């Protein structure tokens, strides 16, 4: 498998786009690019990574910093044909779609046939989004690129219909497409605002794909409330990509990634935001990232996961509590605890299922999953 | 290595039960899957904590389970249908499981047919349902009278309203105002002796609108068409059964939208029952067809797919045909016919000529569902007469899309039929030649523009339809090793949502529009690049820059509201077009215009294009159009800077088809 990636993050849109500035989209894109360049992550060679954020990121000593300091692959340019990404502005819709579609087309043309290498493309788009009608009669979630502006005719520039983009990537270009979009889906464009066509669409491909949206259809996406500000979805996604390896070989498919991100996003926002991830083929979806051979099916846990909060206001002061793990044995080194107030915070715990037992002979217990959503009421 | 029996951990029994179509996954405490099934799962596991995941139609619920000596033999049942209402339902899981089969039975048979609209208003949405323009129409566009506001068998939530229409069996359509503020239509079947229940959901959304150089936002409330569910019942069935059927229908409709497949064995067993709601069975047939279409596998023989239930005794062709039932049955939606056509195309050897000859040969009303419309379009590429150009079908071709799984059309898109003479020469040409012609002209523009994005910008000046059709034509004529011309035309027709007859007209219009652009290009001597500005109308009517107040009648109030001004008069006369569907209208402007001076007629936006230009000759300019319904005509005479406006529906001499629609 040979991997490509295109990574875009836009915090600041031109005035004509009339979009509020964001704070986390660029950081999210940098984080994803860092993961993409990691041989144990996305495993994308620098010459196959197309990266563009606005503002442009500050120099850094990591993989992305080294990448940005070196020669960058050219992007499609309307006047010049090809050019380096312009750090003084956000990329336009055509630049995003044509750059990676041309790369895929070239790879397909040079390596075609039964023995051709598999080609996976990662797409990461962070910024604003709306729902809009496309010229091909569909209504889709559209990412807002840097040229988003009120239309002079009936077609609105600067919109990337995500699902159509996905189909185009699989049309004689890549053999697998993995898309992540961290943008709102809550605002709908009136039907007169049709998205200008930016890809060549061609039916429903049967190749493997997954497409992740930050929120459910019609719902907004949020950034984290506390610094460093990031997209809540991207935060959960990146933690999942880096740490969640539930497969027998430590691999991560779309299905368990969806489960993880849906469960984990509550650690980054209390808005009720619920990501959506669609994929083919059933039941697991494509392989998002292979695990290390030594992974052995062990869940790799996040070291700094916050400990869960317990609401113990229904219990008498002095009540003893025992924390048990998934095997119903007391968790070593943690507890037992004594209720000394209406609430308590447990130490950081690995991801998994737990039970808090009331140690008074009543047999009462409360089960919870870590990471947990809000305070766990123990009665 | 030793096998010490004392180290064997005791196992405890766990029994999980769900409704048909709900997938069950059992995960261990590390969230690793250890078992999965549908309908029920019996397992034995060591002491510990477990997570049960129930999923269906993109929705998931989770239940944590503890297994130990005190919890051996734990039974858990999951039933989302009892969460839809406040009604007290049987708490015993095993009895609920028995209701799997009850989905297909009825308490009493009704001798009448009706459409019952159940309008559910989402929380925090405030609207008077009267403002949603909800109605039922017959195939002649006659609005049906509401019979009552009650359905005693259904327990309504406080946010649900119900409207019942007793109607004759047949194909009807419902109308409603959508979330985007458009009045949409959607086919709804009415079967003899059955009630059709249409569940509509009213939502609100933030709409972004362009106003000159600015974007604006407005809150819009209306029916969200993608959330609609349609089922039928035979009599006054009890609330729980109705809700469970709605759940199953919603699951299959979700499949149709997302090209998923919930046809597990438990669902198939429900659909195999001949007493099951014919609409549910039809939805199941469409899901199966979509699946096989996408997988490109044979439907005949003993098909065994990893995630599609099969029985060795029958092929999927037979099963799908049985689920579809009799496509000619009174009231059954035309989706059934489109599905049979698709089935016969996928598996041509499975049907003898004597079977096919029994099927209706053409479709006169749009199907309910988007996928069936696509299949009907495919059939029209092989047999153009397969889709008849009725007013509603034409409106569907013009305005449908974006409401998957349902096929909805703008009700006002039925108004226009044609402007005679606009494209006459091209309508008799061979379709492949027409596509090549459009592609050749588009290629010329692309070459001149030197890049596809720039060419797109220039094509944009010719309108959305022209741009999209031109680009599709370019794709169709790219040399490919694995596609025939018919396949290309089929793909083009599907992507544009146009049956063959409408595709031909679209291509003819596009060819004509590109003629203008190419002529402009050829006339340019200094620059090879076409100026987008040069492709625009030379003198744009001032009315077009005024906001549209009435989305269903876009020219209303934009041309001054007067049909007489400055010595000029705009008038209309009506002629019998020889059809109950269409009326021929002659529009005319008389007044002191010099011969050759331009008169712009701005029509309803369902006319393509909505602008027709005529020139004065003998102080008169006329335009003949064919339409189904009234609309406002705006006129702009550039040489005299005169605007005129006439609402055809307000004219006393207008026929009912114009005044009342």
């Amino acid at each position: 498998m040979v991997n490509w990636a295109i990574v875009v993050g836009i915090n600041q849109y031109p005035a004509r786009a009339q979009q509020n500035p964001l704070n986390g989209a660029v950081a999210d894109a940098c984080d994803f690019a860092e993961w993409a360049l990691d041989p144990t992550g996305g495993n994308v060679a620098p010459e196959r990574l197309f990266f563009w954020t606005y503002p442009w990121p500050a120099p850094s000593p990591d993989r992305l910093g080294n990448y940005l300091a070196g020669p960058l692959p050219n992007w499609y340019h309307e006047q010049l044909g090809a050019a380096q990404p312009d750090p003084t502005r956000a990329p336009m819709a055509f630049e995003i779609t044509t750059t990676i579609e041309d790369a895929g087309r070239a790879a397909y043309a040079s390596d075609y046939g039964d023995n051709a290498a598999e080609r996976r493309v990662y797409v990461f788009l962070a910024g604003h989004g709306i729902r809009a009608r496309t010229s091909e009669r569909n209504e889709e979630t559209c990412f807002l690129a840097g040229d988003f502006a009120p239309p002079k005719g009936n077609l609105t520039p600067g919109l990337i219909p995500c699902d159509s983009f996905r189909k185009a990537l699989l049309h004689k270009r890549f053999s697998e497409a993995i898309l992540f979009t961290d943008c709102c889906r809550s605002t709908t464009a009136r039907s007169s605002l049709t998205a200008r066509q930016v890809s060549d669409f061609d039916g429903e491909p049967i190749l493997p794909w997954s497409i992740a949206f930050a929120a459910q259809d019609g719902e907004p996406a949020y950034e984290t409330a506390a610094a460093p500000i990031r997209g809540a979805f991207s935060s959960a996604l990146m933690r999942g990509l880096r740490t969640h390896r539930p497969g027998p070989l430590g691999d991560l498919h779309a299905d368990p990634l969806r489960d993880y991100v849906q469960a984990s996003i509550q650690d980054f926002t209390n808005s009720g935001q619920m990501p959506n991830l669609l994929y083919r083929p059933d039941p697991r979806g494509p392989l998002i990232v292979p695990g290390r051979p030594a992974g052995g099916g062990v869940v790799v846990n996040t070291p700094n996961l916050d400990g869960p909060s317990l609401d113990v206001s229904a219990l008498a002061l002095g009540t003893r509590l025992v924390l048990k793990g998934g095997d119903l044995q007391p968790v070593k080194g943690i507890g037992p605890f004594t209720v000394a107030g209406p609430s308590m915070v447990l130490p950081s715990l690995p991801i998994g299922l737990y039970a808090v037992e009331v140690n008074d002979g009543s047999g009462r217990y409360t089960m919870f999953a870590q990471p947990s959503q809000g305070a766990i009421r123990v009665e | 290595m030793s096998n010490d029996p004392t180290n064997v951990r005791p196992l405890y029994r766990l029994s999980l039960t769900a409704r048909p179509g709900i997938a069950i996954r059992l995960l261990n405490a590390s969230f690793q899957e250890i078992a999965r099934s549908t309908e029920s799962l019996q397992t034995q596991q060591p002491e510990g904590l477990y997570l049960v995941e129930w999923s269906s139609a993109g929705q998931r619920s989770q239940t944590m389970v503890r297994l130990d000596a005190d919890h051996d033999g734990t039974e858990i049942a999951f039933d989302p249908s009892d969460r839809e209402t406040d009604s007290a339902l049987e708490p015993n899981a095993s009895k609920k499981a028995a209701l799997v089969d009850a989905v297909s039975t009825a308490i009493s048979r009704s001798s009448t047919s009706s459409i019952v609209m159940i309008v559910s208003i989402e929380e925090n949405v405030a609207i008077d349902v009267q403002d949603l323009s909800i109605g039922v129409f017959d195939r002649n566009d006659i609005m049906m009278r509401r019979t009552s506001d009650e359905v005693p068998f259904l327990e309504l939530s406080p946010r649900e309203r119900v409207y019942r229409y007793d109607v004759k069996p047949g194909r009807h359509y419902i109308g409603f105002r959508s979330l985007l503020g458009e009045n949409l239509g959607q086919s709804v079947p009415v079967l003899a002796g059955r009630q059709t229940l249409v569940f509509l959901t009213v939502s609100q959304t933030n709409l972004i609108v362009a106003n000159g150089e600015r974007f604006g936002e407005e809150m819009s409330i209306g029916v969200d068409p993608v959330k609609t569910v349609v089922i039928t019942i035979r009599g006054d069935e009890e609330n729980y059964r109705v809700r469970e059927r709605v759940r199953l229908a919603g699951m299959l409709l979700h499949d149709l939208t997302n090209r998923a497949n919930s046809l597990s064995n438990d669902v198939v067993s429900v659909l195999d029952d001949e007493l099951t709601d014919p609409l549910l069975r039809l939805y199941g047939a469409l899901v199966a067809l979509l699946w096989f279409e996408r997988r490109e596998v044979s439907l005949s023989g003993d098909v065994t797919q990893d995630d599609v239930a099969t029985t060795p005794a029958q092929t999927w062709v037979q099963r799908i045909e049985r689920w579809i039932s009799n496509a000619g049955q009174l009231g059954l939606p035309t989706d059934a016919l489109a599905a049979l056509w698709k089935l016969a195309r996928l598996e041509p050897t499975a049907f003898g000529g004597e079977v096919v000859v029994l099927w209706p040969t053409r479709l006169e009303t749009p199907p309910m569902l988007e996928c069936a419309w696509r299949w009907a379009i495919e059939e029209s590429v092989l047999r153009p007469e397969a889709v008849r150009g009725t007013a509603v079908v034409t409106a569907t071709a013009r305005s449908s899309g974006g409401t998957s799984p349902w096929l909805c059309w703008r009700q006002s898109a039925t108004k226009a039929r044609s402007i005679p003479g606009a494209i006459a020469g091209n309508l008799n040409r061979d379709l492949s030649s027409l596509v090549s012609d459009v592609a050749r002209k588009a290629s010329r523009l692309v070459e001149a523009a030197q890049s596809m994005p720039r060419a797109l910008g220039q094509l944009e000046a010719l309108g959305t339809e022209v741009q999209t059709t031109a680009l599709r034509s370019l794709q169709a004529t790219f040399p490919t090793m694995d596609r025939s011309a018919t396949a290309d035309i089929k793909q083009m027709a599907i992507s544009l949502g146009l049956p063959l007859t409408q595709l031909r007209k679209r291509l003819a219009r596009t060819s004509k529009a590109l003629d203008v652009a190419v002529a402009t290009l050829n006339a340019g001597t200094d620059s090879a690049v076409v100026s987008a500005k040069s492709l625009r109308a030379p003198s744009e009517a001032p009315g077009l820059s005024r906001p549209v107040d009435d989305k269903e009648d876009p020219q209303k109030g934009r041309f001054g509201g007067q049909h007489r001004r400055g010595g000029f008069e705009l008038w209309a006369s009506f002629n019998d077009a020889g059809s109950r569907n269409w009326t021929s209208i002659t529009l005319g402007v008389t007044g002191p215009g010099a011969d050759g001076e331009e008169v712009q007629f701005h029509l309803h936006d369902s006319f393509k294009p909505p602008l027709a230009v005529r020139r004065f000759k003998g102080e008169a300019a006329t335009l003949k159009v064919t339409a189904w319904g009234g609309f406002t005509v705006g006129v702009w005479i550039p040489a005299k800077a005169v605007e005129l406006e006439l609402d055809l529906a307000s004219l006393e001499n207008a026929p009912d088809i114009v005044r009342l629609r």
Side-chain angles (χ1 to χ4, degrees):
Chain A
M1 182 73 78
V2 183
N3 296 341
W4 275 258
I6 186 160
V7 181
V8 173
I10 305 177
N11 278 356
Q12 294 177 21
Y13 284 79
R16 64 180 181 277
Q18 300 159 51
Q19 298 295 309
N20 295 329
L22 297 169
N23 296 297
V26 169
D28 291 336
C30 291
D31 199 9
F32 188 88
E34 183 70 23
W35 173 84
L37 289 166
D38 187 339
T40 63
N43 192 26
V44 178
E47 65 272 19
R48 290 195 290 271
L49 171 68
F50 299 92
F51 176 89
W52 192 333
T53 65
Y54 187 72
W56 198 253
S60 60
D62 51 17
R63 284 189 179 85
L64 178 63
N66 291 334
Y67 165 83
L68 294 175
L72 301 177
N74 277 335
W75 285 58
Y76 166 80
H77 190 281
E78 187 171 348
Q79 278 78 40
L80 305 174
Q84 292 282 287
D86 182 349
T88 66
R89 63 173 176 86
M92 296 188 285
F94 259 121
E95 291 171 329
I96 296 168
T97 55
T98 309
T99 295
I100 193 66
E101 288 172 9
D102 282 356
R105 182 79 79 187
Y108 177 87
S110 64
D111 190 13
Y112 177 82
D114 292 339
N115 297 321
E118 295 291 308
R119 299 176 300 279
R120 177 193 288 138
V121 61
Y122 296 106
V123 177
F124 182 88
L125 305 172
H128 282 294
I130 62 172
R131 289 189 61 79
R133 187 79 61 94
T134 71
S135 55
E136 301 246 333
R137 305 172 61 246
N138 302 310
E139 186 181 291
E140 294 187 32
T141 297
C142 298
F143 177 74
L144 268 53
D147 53 333
F148 179 63
K152 291 193 171 70
N154 284 328
L155 298 173
T156 308
L159 294 174
I160 299 178
C162 296
D163 205 44
S164 296
F165 186 28
R166 186 261 304 173
K167 291 175 185 172
L169 291 171
L170 293 173
H171 178 57
K172 295 184 176 178
R173 293 184 171 98
F174 299 99
S175 49
E176 192 172 305
I178 315 288
L179 289 84
F180 302 104
T181 59
D182 195 349
C183 62
C184 285
R185 310 178 76 193
S186 51
T187 299
T188 306
R190 171 151 288 165
S191 50
S192 56
L193 289 182
T194 302
R196 179 189 279 174
Q197 189 166 334
V198 291
S199 298
D200 59 346
F201 320 97
D202 205 87
E204 183 66 33
I206 58 173
L207 296 165
W209 56 269
S210 79
I211 183 166
F213 296 103
Q216 295 290 312
D217 202 8
E219 298 297 324
Y222 294 88
E223 293 187 321
T224 56
I229 294 179
R230 297 281 305 275
F233 164 71
S234 293
S235 300
L237 170 70
M238 296 315 303
R239 196 168 76 185
L241 289 176
R242 290 201 169 98
T243 67
H244 195 47
R245 293 290 188 277
L249 297 175
D251 46 6
L252 177 62
H253 285 257
D255 179 56
L257 177 63
R258 176 201 61 190
D259 294 350
Y260 180 88
V261 173
Q262 288 185 341
S264 303
I265 196 167
Q266 60 208 349
D267 294 343
F268 302 98
T269 178
N270 57 8
S271 62
Q273 179 180 338
M274 183 54 64
N276 193 15
L277 193 151
L278 308 171
Y279 56 80
R280 290 285 179 281
D282 294 326
R284 291 298 178 86
L287 179 67
I288 304 291
V289 53
R292 287 181 289 272
V298 177
V299 175
V300 180
N301 298 310
T302 310
N304 295 321
L305 211 56
D306 293 336
S309 299
L310 302 185
D311 174 359
V312 290
S313 57
L315 301 177
L317 297 178
T319 303
R320 300 271 285 174
L321 301 176
V322 176
L323 178 68
K324 292 190 172 179
D327 57 358
L328 289 180
Q329 299 304 308
V331 178
K332 290 179 181 174
I334 300 181
F337 306 96
T338 301
V339 175
S343 63
M344 62 174 59
V345 177
L346 297 180
S348 176
L349 295 173
I351 293 169
L353 296 176
Y354 297 89
V356 177
E357 289 191 356
V358 180
N359 195 20
D360 60 358
S362 66
R364 288 178 293 163
Y365 64 92
T366 299
M367 295 181 285
F368 68 92
Q370 172 70 352
S372 58
Q373 185 170 18
I376 301 150
R377 183 166 175 81
V378 182
E379 297 177 310
Chain B
M1 295 286 285
S2 65
N3 189 14
D4 183 356
T6 60
N7 284 340
V8 175
R9 297 172 65 190
L11 299 176
Y12 302 101
R13 290 168 293 129
L14 174 63
S15 172
L16 306 170
T17 308
R19 310 296 291 140
I22 296 177
I24 305 170
R25 290 175 70 205
L26 183 64
L27 311 177
N28 66 14
S30 298
F31 302 133
Q32 289 177 299
E33 180 182 305
I34 50 180
R36 71 161 60 203
S37 184
T38 56
E39 190 176 10
S40 69
L41 176 62
Q42 317 295 327
T43 184
Q44 296 186 62
Q45 298 293 335
E47 178 179 89
L49 299 175
Y50 298 88
L51 190 68
V52 184
E53 183 181 284
W54 322 87
S55 60
S56 175
Q59 303 294 315
R60 291 189 307 139
S61 291
Q62 293 179 329
T63 307
M64 279 182 274
V65 184
R66 176 177 179 144
L67 282 184
D68 56 20
D70 294 333
H71 298 85
D72 188 20
T74 296
E75 294 183 9
I76 302 174
F78 180 72
D79 186 355
S81 293
D82 66 1
R83 301 180 180 191
E84 300 296 328
T85 67
D86 297 329
S87 59
L89 293 164
E90 173 57 62
N92 184 298
S94 60
K95 287 188 177 177
K96 277 198 185 158
L99 278 173
V100 168
D101 299 324
V103 168
S104 61
T105 63
I107 293 173
S108 62
R109 187 184 178 98
S110 167
S111 58
T112 62
S113 301
S114 60
I115 293 176
V116 180
M117 309 258 261
I118 300 99
V119 183
S120 176
I121 303 172
E122 289 189 342
E123 285 193 28
N124 304 318
V125 175
I127 190 170
D128 184 343
V129 177
Q130 301 298 326
D131 295 337
L132 294 172
S133 304
I134 290 174
V136 173
F137 303 82
D138 69 8
R139 60 188 301 174
N140 295 319
D141 210 37
I142 305 298
M143 191 171 192
M144 300 287 101
R145 186 188 300 274
R146 188 189 304 166
T147 313
S148 78
D149 295 345
E150 293 180 353
V151 278
F153 59 91
L154 207 57
E155 296 170 26
L156 299 174
S157 80
R159 304 200 67 81
E160 286 180 321
R161 308 281 183 277
V162 65
Y163 307 100
R164 178 181 183 133
Y165 303 79
D166 289 339
V167 293
K168 293 178 181 174
R171 288 162 189 156
H172 292 65
Y173 78 87
I174 58 169
F176 54 85
R177 201 186 77 199
S178 79
L179 203 50
L180 295 182
E182 301 169 329
N183 283 353
L184 299 184
Q186 175 186 333
S187 291
V188 165
V190 180
L191 301 169
R194 298 189 74 94
Q195 299 184 60
T196 302
L197 306 191
V198 183
F199 291 82
L200 300 176
T201 302
V202 180
S203 307
Q204 69 179 12
T205 189
N206 211 19
L207 276 187
I208 184 168
V209 293
N211 186 5
E213 291 295 307
R214 302 288 303 170
F215 281 122
E217 288 198 0
E218 60 184 50
M219 188 59 71
S220 179
I221 298 176
V223 173
D224 188 348
V226 305
K227 294 180 179 173
T228 297
V229 176
V230 184
I231 62 168
T232 74
I233 59 176
R234 289 178 63 192
D236 292 345
E237 300 187 27
E238 67 181 36
N239 185 69
Y240 177 78
R241 292 176 177 176
V242 173
R243 301 291 179 181
E244 172 61 8
R245 193 170 306 173
V246 168
R247 184 191 68 77
L248 272 175
M251 181 184 77
L252 296 169
L253 293 168
H254 177 271
D255 284 353
L256 294 176
T257 303
N258 297 285
R259 302 195 176 211
N261 182 3
S262 299
L263 295 177
S264 50
N265 281 306
D266 50 349
V267 176
V268 167
S269 69
V270 171
L271 299 179
D272 275 343
D273 189 332
E274 292 185 354
L275 292 176
T276 293
D277 176 3
L279 273 192
L280 271 188
R281 303 182 86 200
L282 179 60
Y283 297 153
L286 301 185
V287 169
L289 268 174
L290 270 178
W291 184 250
F292 285 109
E293 178 187 47
R294 189 162 65 89
R295 295 280 285 261
E296 297 178 342
V297 296
S298 170
L299 287 161
S300 59
D302 181 14
V303 181
T304 303
Q305 297 298 319
D306 50 0
D307 36 14
V308 179
T310 59
T311 57
Q314 61 178 340
T315 68
W316 268 98
V317 171
Q318 294 164 330
R319 169 174 274 155
I320 291 171
E321 188 187 9
R322 225 181 42 247
W323 286 356
I324 291 173
S325 183
N326 175 13
Q329 180 184 345
L330 182 62
L332 200 63
T334 50
D335 304 66
L337 181 58
L340 283 177
W341 287 341
K342 178 65 179 179
L343 192 56
R345 287 196 301 276
L346 283 175
E347 204 66 27
T349 59
F351 298 95
E354 68 280 3
V355 175
V356 174
V357 83
L358 295 175
W359 297 347
T361 56
R362 67 179 185 179
L363 175 154
E364 298 186 352
T365 57
M368 288 193 302
L369 293 151
E370 176 84 23
C371 61
W373 178 239
R374 182 162 57 81
W375 295 334
I377 289 172
E378 284 181 6
E379 184 74 10
S380 79
V381 173
L382 304 173
R383 291 191 305 114
E385 70 278 11
V387 179
R388 193 181 162 214
T390 61
V392 177
V393 167
T394 304
T396 304
R398 284 182 181 134
S399 64
S400 65
T403 55
S404 184
W406 301 106
L407 180 72
C408 297
W409 63 88
R410 279 180 62 199
Q411 287 179 268
S412 64
T414 58
K415 291 182 186 297
R417 187 180 194 189
S418 63
I419 303 173
I423 50 175
N426 280 321
L427 285 179
N428 297 322
R429 293 178 58 180
D430 169 69
L431 199 63
S432 298
S433 143
L434 198 49
V435 173
S436 298
D437 183 48
V438 170
R440 182 176 48 79
K441 293 170 185 171
S443 292
R444 176 86 178 90
L445 292 177
V446 172
E447 284 168 18
Q450 297 175 339
S451 81
M452 181 60 89
R454 205 178 302 150
L456 287 177
Q458 290 158 2
L459 285 170
E460 201 173 309
L462 301 172
T464 313
E465 280 191 356
V466 170
Q467 186 202 49
T468 307
T469 311
L471 291 175
R472 264 292 163 193
S473 300
L474 279 176
Q475 284 188 38
T477 50
F478 282 154
T480 55
M481 299 173 62
D482 52 359
R483 298 182 79 141
S484 66
T486 303
D488 275 334
I489 289 172
K490 189 190 295 181
Q491 187 61 42
M492 174 186 278
I494 289 169
S495 68
L496 298 175
L498 299 172
L500 196 76
T501 305
Q502 280 82 5
L503 176 64
R504 187 185 294 279
K505 290 178 181 174
R506 169 77 70 84
L507 284 164
R509 281 198 302 273
T510 302
S511 177
K512 187 171 184 180
L514 290 175
D515 280 340
V516 177
V518 172
T520 307
L521 178 66
N522 291 336
T525 53
D526 296 332
S527 170
V529 178
V530 185
S531 160
K533 190 177 178 183
S534 71
L535 301 180
R536 293 182 188 281
S539 56
E540 190 169 89
L544 297 183
S545 62
R546 298 181 188 124
V548 175
D549 289 333
D550 186 340
K551 299 183 189 74
E552 304 304 322
D553 192 7
Q555 312 305 1
K556 185 90 174 170
R558 296 172 89 196
F559 286 81
Q562 303 294 323
H563 73 283
R564 286 198 191 96
R565 183 175 286 171
F568 292 91
E569 179 179 3
L570 168 60
W571 52 268
S573 65
F574 303 91
N575 304 297
D576 181 3
S579 164
R580 64 180 179 180
N581 279 328
W582 306 107
T583 294
S584 174
I585 306 172
T586 302
L587 302 169
V589 174
T590 52
D595 280 3
E597 281 183 351
E598 178 180 307
V599 178
Q600 294 180 12
F601 290 88
H602 294 270
L603 309 171
H604 190 268
D605 63 349
S606 55
F607 285 90
K608 302 296 179 187
L611 167 63
V613 176
R614 295 292 183 269
R615 297 189 182 277
F616 276 115
K617 185 177 181 182
E619 297 195 336
T622 58
L623 170 69
K624 286 187 177 179
V625 299
T626 309
W628 190 37
F631 56 93
T632 298
V633 181
V635 159
W636 168 240
I637 308 172
K640 300 293 191 291
V642 167
E643 292 178 298
L644 302 170
E645 182 176 317
L646 184 63
D647 182 354
L648 301 180
S650 69
L651 299 177
E652 288 183 1
N653 63 333
D656 285 354
I657 203 171
V658 171
R659 284 190 299 109
L660 304 179
R661 288 199 78 255

